[in-house]
């Protein structure tokens, strides 16, 4: 097991693969999220504002439980986009890896731990969003959309640079 782990780490280094790269984004955005939550929590205008009949200060979970379709769509969209934000870098990175590296990473313990952490973060975000105002869910959707587009653009740019250098 130790030998296999050492070989995996050498492969990661050789091909510039960071097995924890998908975990960096949630940690970087957490302080921004806390600041925005504080602003939302302390702004009375948000609790008086509405969007498509929903009060932006209402809790997402309570609004979903009332079977408001717009709130349900927001919740599902937020969960799907958050999943994409976490998994897209991994999927795109695997497309560029040689076949032997993809096969080696499939059964590795590090890959299993990385998947487990990704799903833990996703569940944590969904649970937290359930208790937050709708305004925060809209922020989370916008942030996730930005992250997905940023990942796609950076992937396209790095591929173009890689082909120029090859």
């Amino acid at each position: 097991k130790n030998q296999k782990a050492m070989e995996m780490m050498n492969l990661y280094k050789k091909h510039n693969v960071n097995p924890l790269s998908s975990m960096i984004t949630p940690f970087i955005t957490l302080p921004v999220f806390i600041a925005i939550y504080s602003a939302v929590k302390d702004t009375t205008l948000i609790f008086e504002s509405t969007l498509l009949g929903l009060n932006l200060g209402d809790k997402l979970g309570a609004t979903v439980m009332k079977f408001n379709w717009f709130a349900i769509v927001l919740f599902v969209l937020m969960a799907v986009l958050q999943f994409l934000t976490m998994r897209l870098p991994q999927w795109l990175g695997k497309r560029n890896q040689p076949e032997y590296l993809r096969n080696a990473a499939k059964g590795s313990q590090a890959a299993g731990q990385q998947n487990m952490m990704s799903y833990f973060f996703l569940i944590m975000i969904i649970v937290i969003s359930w208790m937050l105002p709708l305004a925060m869910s809209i922020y989370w959707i916008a942030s996730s959309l930005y992250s997905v587009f940023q990942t796609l653009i950076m992937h396209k740019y790095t591929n173009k640079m890689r082909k120029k250098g090859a």
Side-chain angles (χ1 to χ4, degrees):
K1 286 185 179 181
N2 288 339
Q3 181 66 24
K4 183 178 179 182
M6 290 296 287
E7 289 178 20
M8 284 301 301
M9 290 309 294
N10 289 335
L11 283 172
Y12 286 150
K13 285 180 185 177
K14 180 179 176 185
H15 296 283
N16 294 328
V17 174
N18 183 355
L20 299 177
S21 63
S22 66
M23 300 301 135
I24 293 172
T25 304
F27 285 117
I28 291 173
T29 59
L30 190 61
V32 174
F33 175 77
I34 291 170
I36 291 175
Y37 173 69
S38 296
V40 166
K41 183 180 68 152
D42 297 335
T43 305
T44 56
L45 182 61
I46 288 178
F47 289 89
E48 297 169 358
S49 299
T50 60
L51 176 69
L52 298 175
L54 294 176
N55 185 334
L56 294 177
D58 288 347
K59 304 272 188 246
L60 177 63
T63 311
V64 168
M65 294 306 286
K66 292 178 186 174
F67 296 104
N68 182 300
W69 287 106
F70 183 63
I72 293 169
V73 168
L74 278 177
F75 180 70
V76 169
L77 184 62
M78 185 212 48
V80 168
L81 284 171
Q82 195 61 42
F83 176 78
L84 263 177
T85 301
M86 290 180 171
R87 299 298 290 188
L88 189 61
Q90 294 171 357
W91 292 336
L92 293 175
K94 285 181 183 178
R95 278 184 22 187
N96 292 335
Q97 290 177 345
E99 185 67 30
Y100 69 90
L101 187 58
R102 273 185 265 156
N103 290 335
K106 282 182 185 175
S108 75
Q109 185 177 3
Q113 288 174 342
Q114 184 178 2
N115 285 337
M116 189 172 73
M117 288 297 291
S118 292
Y119 292 124
F120 171 76
F121 277 122
L122 180 63
I123 291 168
M124 184 178 76
I125 287 169
I126 289 171
V127 168
I128 289 171
S129 72
W130 189 257
M131 299 179 278
L132 293 177
L134 283 165
M136 290 304 298
S137 297
I138 293 170
Y139 160 75
W140 229 320
I141 289 169
S143 175
S144 295
L145 274 172
Y146 177 78
S147 293
V148 166
F149 286 123
Q150 182 182 16
T151 300
L152 290 171
I153 289 168
M154 288 305 297
H155 178 73
K156 187 175 183 175
Y157 175 76
T158 54
N159 278 347
K160 189 182 291 185
M161 295 306 289
R162 191 177 294 136
K163 288 177 183 175
K164 277 185 180 180

